[in-house]
Amino acid sequence: MDQTMPYTTATLAADLRELGLSSGDVVLLHASLKSVGFTAGGTHAVVQAFLDVLGPDGTLVVPTHTPDNTDPAVWQHPPVPEAWWPVIREQTPGFDPARTPSRWMGALAEAVRTWPGARRSDHPQVSFAALGRHAADIVAEHVLDDALGERSPLGAVYRLDGKVLLLGCGHDSNTSLHLAECRQQQPPMMRTGSSVRRPDGTSHWVTWTEVDPDESDFTQLGEDFEATGAMRVGPVGGAVARLGRQRALVDFATGWMAEHRVGANESAAHS
């Protein structure tokens, strides 16, 4: 460790303000907590830094996805035997926004999800949690077949002219780019499913059709967007952070995909 002193809520808040985060902002955060470095108070202190900067009129949004509650037939990392599939579908506890932990989203997302006053959308695969003034509106309408589209929290952040902050991670983690996918004329579609909790506490497997997400070109897309100068890059603690307006990002990505995913779009149009 080459830090001379621990970071604190106050020093991280100063870094966030210098980067361009302001009181009253709506910000969708993707974070690698370990990239920040040692902070006095750990995860709690980092979340508090965001809340201090955003103030009572701001809103912090994080992904609280549950990729383990997906169809086991498509699992690759690792795959599971086909004989297991029906057992997983039938026995996985149904998604419950209040009970189901996120998976692989990081400690910061989990801290926000469980913070007093946080609200969480009820999508069984790609939920988001929000904390602050617009939290309830952002998570209110998250339908199964528009997982990352207009009626998802991503669409709500867009309508609120929110920002995206990548804290110690890259555009391959930038979920807002999926909103641009959903805006393509004929994006590839897929069938998927999850276990969902009924009001009486029992679980059942549901299936639906949605846009097939593809992050394979997100890094290049993000680099091209940054080349326009539309994102501010700077330190937050020991992490490299990237901050930009989500509308500008999604609008750029929508055009970029229309141009660069021609083959995929044409295939979909003729399928």
Side-chain angles (χ1 to χ4, degrees):
M1 180 180 296
D2 56 2
Q3 279 182 242
T4 56
M5 291 291 287
Y7 302 115
T8 68
T9 294
T11 64
L12 295 179
D15 287 347
L16 289 168
R17 292 188 180 100
E18 180 66 23
L19 187 67
L21 198 64
S22 302
S23 177
D25 280 347
V26 172
V27 61
L28 173 56
L29 171 66
H30 298 276
S32 167
L33 186 62
K34 68 179 182 180
S35 69
V36 175
F38 186 91
T39 302
T43 308
H44 180 124
V46 179
V47 175
Q48 191 62 54
F50 277 92
L51 299 182
D52 287 353
V53 173
L54 295 172
D57 292 328
T59 310
L60 177 62
V61 187
V62 294
T64 52
H65 301 176
T66 48
D68 48 336
N69 189 13
T70 54
D71 194 334
V74 300
W75 290 358
Q76 296 295 325
H77 306 289
V80 294
E82 187 171 351
W84 293 15
W85 299 352
V87 178
I88 292 170
R89 292 175 185 137
E90 292 166 11
Q91 299 300 322
T92 295
F95 176 82
D96 180 351
R99 293 176 173 85
T100 307
S102 63
R103 185 84 184 272
W104 302 316
M105 295 293 104
L108 205 58
E110 271 294 276
V112 173
R113 181 186 74 81
T114 57
W115 202 272
R119 305 289 292 270
R120 190 185 191 186
S121 68
D122 58 5
H123 196 283
Q125 292 184 6
V126 288
S127 64
F128 291 78
L131 187 58
R133 179 182 175 188
H134 296 287
D137 292 336
I138 288 171
V139 304
E141 184 183 13
H142 198 178
V143 296
L144 287 176
D145 60 356
D146 197 22
L148 299 169
E150 304 300 336
R151 291 180 291 169
S152 76
L154 296 178
V157 171
Y158 185 94
R159 290 187 292 276
L160 289 165
D161 196 17
K163 295 176 179 178
V164 171
L165 201 163
L166 305 176
L167 181 62
C169 57
H171 289 279
D172 55 335
S173 299
N174 192 347
T175 56
S176 291
L177 299 178
H178 290 298
L179 180 56
E181 282 185 318
C182 295
R183 293 183 172 184
Q184 300 306 299
Q185 287 193 332
Q186 289 184 296
M189 305 296 287
M190 70 172 186
R191 192 77 178 163
T192 188
S194 289
S195 182
V196 175
R197 188 175 189 268
R198 295 187 180 99
D200 66 2
T202 61
S203 301
H204 66 127
W205 190 262
V206 296
T207 60
W208 65 93
T209 300
E210 65 178 29
V211 174
D212 189 1
D214 177 12
E215 297 93 5
S216 62
D217 54 5
F218 280 12
T219 297
Q220 185 61 57
L221 196 170
E223 289 176 0
D224 289 353
F225 178 67
E226 287 190 30
T228 69
M231 287 199 101
R232 295 187 66 172
V233 180
V236 173
V240 175
R242 293 170 163 81
L243 180 70
R245 290 180 58 235
Q246 195 222 35
R247 280 187 187 175
L249 170 69
V250 172
D251 291 349
F252 177 91
T254 301
W256 191 98
M257 288 180 186
E259 177 182 354
H260 291 82
R261 292 188 177 184
V262 173
N265 292 336
E266 288 179 349
S267 296
H270 292 96
S271 60

